[in-house]
Amino acid sequence: GDDGPSNEQCIEEVGNCTDGIQGESETDVDCGGECPLSCSIGKSCLVASDCTSKRCMRGLCALAIKKCTGGCGQGSCKHYDTEGELMASANCDVENEWCTAKCVCPSGRYGSNCEYDKADWEAQQTLRASVLNALLQTSEGMDGTQEAANQQAAACSSITSNVETLTPTAVDSSIKILSIALNTSSESGFGEDDTEDLLVNAISNIMKSGLAKDKDTAALLDQVATAGLKDVVAGEEASNTCADSFC
């Protein structure tokens, strides 16, 4: 007879995204398009949302571009090669070890994410210089133990982690603190703690700042060699070991 009303739920038919075949609504096999599953790197795409990386280049899902950590606020994210030269963002993907993403701030904004105005920025610089000076005075009065060297290295590594906020005065204090820690480590040897890594990290921060005097840098590297510390290369990426109050 004639079709009549039905209590059965209407179900919209969609392409099968698990059949191992590329359907008309998919950009690749079982992914992209109307499928809930995005496509992996190298698979076909039409728009960025088809890809897990959210980047579709010339019809294929490509590696994502490196992002500036934390966003850039009022600034913009730019990409640079190992020489510090501006490069095309499209060439700086997440697996490229030879480029970095960095915020470029407009006039009157400062910080790694352009989060500070001039007054706040100067306050950050003053704070770090003051804390490092206090740490230096404390270090000069501490016993020459490996535990003391670890504390000095940890504090210095943390405070210098935001390289852009360092001033020549802050760098000078840091070098003196690290010199004390290196002397101690050279005499007592490195224990099982992370003193060596912390020292390398702090020294890398100072060298990246570009504010250290040549003679001070040379003297510090001489101490590094004497202490048997691992190689420190100017400008190498230092790990982020900063305390919350100094990041």
Side-chain angles (χ1 to χ4, degrees):
D2 296 335
D3 291 339
S6 172
N7 291 326
E8 293 183 5
Q9 183 178 3
C10 294
I11 301 175
E12 182 181 358
E13 292 188 3
V14 297
N16 189 341
C17 294
T18 59
D19 60 4
I21 301 173
Q22 182 178 345
E24 292 183 1
S25 62
E26 304 167 1
T27 60
D28 209 302
V29 178
D30 296 341
C31 69
E34 296 182 5
C35 286
L37 181 66
S38 299
C39 297
S40 57
I41 304 302
K43 292 193 174 182
S44 298
C45 59
L46 293 176
V47 293
S49 58
D50 291 328
C51 308
T52 55
S53 63
K54 303 304 179 187
R55 187 183 180 210
C56 181
M57 293 287 292
R58 301 182 183 87
L60 296 176
C61 291
L63 289 168
I65 298 298
K66 283 186 179 180
K67 296 181 179 180
C68 290
T69 304
C72 292
Q74 298 180 31
S76 57
C77 188
K78 303 293 184 181
H79 297 86
Y80 298 85
D81 61 23
T82 54
E83 300 297 324
E85 297 294 329
L86 186 66
M87 62 181 291
S89 295
N91 296 330
C92 187
D93 61 58
V94 292
E95 291 188 1
N96 188 343
E97 299 179 357
W98 306 103
C99 66
T100 56
K102 182 179 179 180
C103 292
V104 177
C105 302
S107 178
R109 301 300 301 181
Y110 305 86
S112 58
N113 297 313
C114 309
E115 66 269 38
Y116 300 111
D117 59 22
K118 185 176 181 179
D120 289 339
W121 182 246
E122 291 177 346
Q124 286 288 320
Q125 291 180 312
T126 300
L127 173 62
R128 278 174 169 72
S130 177
V131 172
L132 283 165
N133 182 59
L135 179 60
L136 173 59
Q137 294 180 21
T138 302
S139 298
E140 290 174 337
M142 293 177 72
D143 294 332
T145 63
Q146 191 55 43
E147 181 180 0
N150 181 264
Q151 293 173 358
Q152 293 157 358
C156 201
S157 176
S158 172
I159 299 169
T160 61
S161 60
N162 192 336
V163 176
E164 294 180 340
T165 60
L166 297 178
T167 62
T169 299
V171 168
D172 183 62
S173 295
S174 299
I175 289 175
K176 292 176 181 177
I177 295 166
L178 293 173
S179 178
I180 293 172
L182 280 165
N183 278 335
T184 300
S185 297
S186 181
E187 294 172 358
S188 61
F190 293 102
E192 297 180 356
D193 55 31
D194 56 354
T195 301
E196 184 176 6
D197 290 335
L198 291 168
L199 284 168
V200 168
N201 190 56
I203 295 170
S204 295
N205 289 339
I206 290 171
M207 296 176 72
K208 284 170 64 179
S209 75
L211 298 174
K213 298 174 183 176
D214 290 342
K215 64 181 181 63
D216 292 336
T217 300
L220 194 61
L221 292 179
D222 282 344
Q223 282 189 278
V224 166
T226 301
L229 204 62
K230 63 180 68 173
D231 291 341
V232 179
V233 180
E236 71 176 12
E237 283 297 316
S239 59
N240 185 4
T241 58
C242 58
D244 290 343
S245 57
F246 289 107
C247 292

